[in-house]
Amino acid sequence: MEAGNLLGFIPLNQPPQRLCVHSRRLSSFLSFVTVKASISSQGGSGYRGPKPRREWIADWVSKNDDFVRSLPIYVGGLSLLAVLFNRTVSGIAPVSNASSSQSRADLLTLGLAVTNILNGLVWLSIRPKTISVVNPNGVECQRVASNLPDFVTSELLWAWDSLSAVTCCRSLVIVYDGKCILQIGFAAASSSNGSDAVAVDTNKMIEGSLYQGVLKSASQSYLANLSLYPGKSQLPFLPSNTQAVILQPLADKGIAIIGGDTIRGFTSSDQAWITLIGEKLDATLTKVI
């Protein structure tokens, strides 16, 4: 009887409230999508988002670098002339008197003017060094180990083509398992015959600190300005004016030496990409060597 009474109070023909809520949400979502689509079709396909703001002051300063560096000298010189003109016109004695407020103000102005002039001279004497691309001093060569399968040779040449096309790489040397399997790009010219490239002395290079340090750390080494590193003497096969070098380890069996023609020319993206290429080459060379 109690169950019958409870069933009597429940309206069986009324739809569940949850379905009504979901229906309302679905209809509102469809109307929102319809409105957005109509707005997009009416507004065109142009970009309507925020646009980057142009820095007018920074652009003007970069275009007038010499004038901006000389500006403190002009300001200081005009300040000195203004002080002298003021003392001449105002009738103040040319000898400074410490008890006079005008003399104290003039002394302070003279100090600031001289400071501006010295600051301008410092700005003119200190200029950032211009980084430019250099032409490697050497000869072009392509030496590939003859005992490698065709697919390995093709992959080595692919690595060279990729690096030389999209980075500042101009020289590539790969030493693996104690042997030089690839020397391509620009190399130092031989002293005996200027048309021949200097061969890679693997035994001497393996004993060097650069090779041992890279294998010990198992991480990439980037010499952004090669002329500042004493280890440059361990790479005599590279052109004498090589600007930057990346030493990429190939697991614990070898190393890839990548020479560039620009100081700090390899970006962080280039370094990460070279690391992936090194891992791919190591996986391929492990199968055959």
Side-chain angles (χ1 to χ4, degrees):
M1 292 294 294
E2 295 180 359
N5 293 333
L6 290 174
L7 291 173
F9 286 101
I10 298 176
L12 298 178
N13 58 350
Q14 182 178 356
Q17 187 174 3
R18 182 175 297 179
L19 293 176
C20 296
V21 173
H22 286 304
S23 299
R24 287 195 297 270
R25 291 179 179 176
L26 180 60
S27 60
S28 62
F29 174 75
L30 292 176
S31 61
F32 172 77
V33 172
T34 304
V35 171
K36 292 291 288 183
S38 62
I39 293 176
S40 300
S41 62
Q42 294 175 2
S45 57
Y47 175 70
R48 294 180 175 272
K51 297 181 178 180
R53 185 178 58 183
R54 185 174 181 179
E55 298 292 342
W56 296 99
I57 297 178
D59 292 344
W60 183 84
V61 170
S62 62
K63 294 178 181 178
N64 301 274
D65 182 71
D66 293 337
F67 174 75
V68 173
R69 290 178 181 274
S70 305
L71 188 60
I73 297 178
Y74 299 145
V75 174
L78 291 176
S79 300
L80 287 176
L81 294 177
V83 172
L84 296 176
F85 179 77
N86 180 58
R87 294 189 70 87
T88 302
V89 174
S90 60
I92 303 175
V95 180
S96 61
N97 185 5
S99 61
S100 172
S101 59
Q102 181 64 40
S103 297
R104 292 195 295 269
D106 291 342
L107 288 176
L108 180 61
T109 305
L110 288 174
L112 294 176
V114 172
T115 302
N116 277 331
I117 293 175
L118 294 177
N119 190 26
L121 293 175
V122 171
W123 283 10
L124 288 176
S125 62
I126 300 177
R127 293 175 178 270
K129 184 179 180 180
T130 303
I131 298 176
S132 59
V133 179
V134 301
N135 295 321
N137 293 332
V139 296
E140 293 191 54
C141 70
Q142 181 174 335
R143 296 171 178 170
V144 185
S146 58
N147 59 343
L148 295 176
D150 293 339
F151 75 95
V152 176
T153 302
S154 299
E155 186 162 332
L156 292 175
L157 296 178
W158 163 83
W160 160 249
D161 291 337
S162 302
L163 291 173
S164 60
V166 300
T167 68
C168 66
C169 172
R170 293 298 174 265
S171 306
L172 176 61
V173 175
I174 296 179
V175 177
Y176 198 82
D177 197 25
K179 295 175 293 185
C180 179
I181 63 174
L182 179 66
Q183 183 182 10
I184 194 170
F186 282 92
S190 176
S191 57
S192 59
N193 188 356
S195 60
D196 293 337
V198 175
V200 179
D201 188 352
T202 56
N203 294 327
K204 186 176 180 180
M205 190 186 70
I206 290 174
E207 296 175 356
S209 59
L210 288 179
Y211 185 90
Q212 295 296 332
V214 170
L215 289 189
K216 185 177 180 180
S217 63
S219 61
Q220 184 185 96
S221 179
Y222 181 27
L223 310 180
N225 190 352
L226 185 61
S227 61
L228 301 179
Y229 293 89
K232 179 182 179 181
S233 60
Q234 302 178 25
L235 306 173
F237 45 84
L238 293 179
S240 58
N241 62 340
T242 300
Q243 302 296 297
V245 167
I246 287 183
L247 305 174
Q248 176 62 43
L250 305 177
D252 58 347
K253 291 186 177 182
I255 187 175
I257 303 172
I258 304 164
D261 59 3
T262 309
I263 297 176
R264 293 185 292 274
F266 294 102
T267 64
S268 56
S269 300
D270 296 338
Q271 298 174 48
W273 186 48
I274 290 172
T275 300
L276 296 178
I277 291 180
E279 294 175 356
K280 187 177 187 304
L281 292 177
D282 175 61
T284 302
L285 293 173
T286 304
K287 301 176 183 179
V288 297
I289 298 179

